[in-house]
């Protein structure tokens, strides 16, 4: 679960950086859960379980789509 990024330093030395995809995805999920919970409770004191799930899923997907690009 790693992406490899090649970075050119000064003096034209090439270095490979590995992105920890798992950590980035985990962060997206954590932020999405928090944002979804906040959004679900924004105008409703006691949201239904279904409403909570919908908002959490929506916010998780928003975070993932900000960090990852998908081929259509």
């Amino acid at each position: 679960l790693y992406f490899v990024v090649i970075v050119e330093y000064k003096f034209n030395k090439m270095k490979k950086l590995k992105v920890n995809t798992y950590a980035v995805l985990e962060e997206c999920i954590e932020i999405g859960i928090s944002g979804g919970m906040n959004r679900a409770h924004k105008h409703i004191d006691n949201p239904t379980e279904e409403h909570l799930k919908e908002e959490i899923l929506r916010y998780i997907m928003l975070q993932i789509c900000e960090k990852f690009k998908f081929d259509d």
Side-chain angles (χ1 to χ4, degrees):
L1 290 176
Y2 288 95
F3 290 107
V4 176
V5 179
I6 299 174
V7 178
E8 187 174 348
Y9 285 93
K10 61 182 181 179
F11 308 118
N12 294 325
K13 292 182 181 179
M14 301 297 281
K15 294 285 185 178
K16 289 184 181 180
L17 300 176
K18 290 185 179 179
V19 176
N20 186 339
T21 308
Y22 184 89
V24 174
L25 191 55
E26 180 180 35
E27 181 181 346
C28 290
I29 293 168
E30 288 175 358
I31 292 170
I33 290 171
S34 178
M37 289 290 289
N38 289 338
R39 177 67 179 159
H41 288 90
K42 185 173 182 176
H43 300 293
I44 303 170
D45 290 334
N46 295 313
T48 64
E49 182 179 339
E50 186 64 28
H51 183 66
L52 280 169
K53 289 178 182 178
E54 288 173 5
E55 291 299 329
I56 290 170
L57 178 60
R58 187 165 72 92
Y59 271 74
I60 289 172
M61 293 308 295
L62 283 171
Q63 286 296 312
I64 291 172
C65 289
E66 283 183 10
K67 301 284 193 278
F68 297 91
K69 298 293 180 200
F70 297 96
D71 294 332
D72 291 332

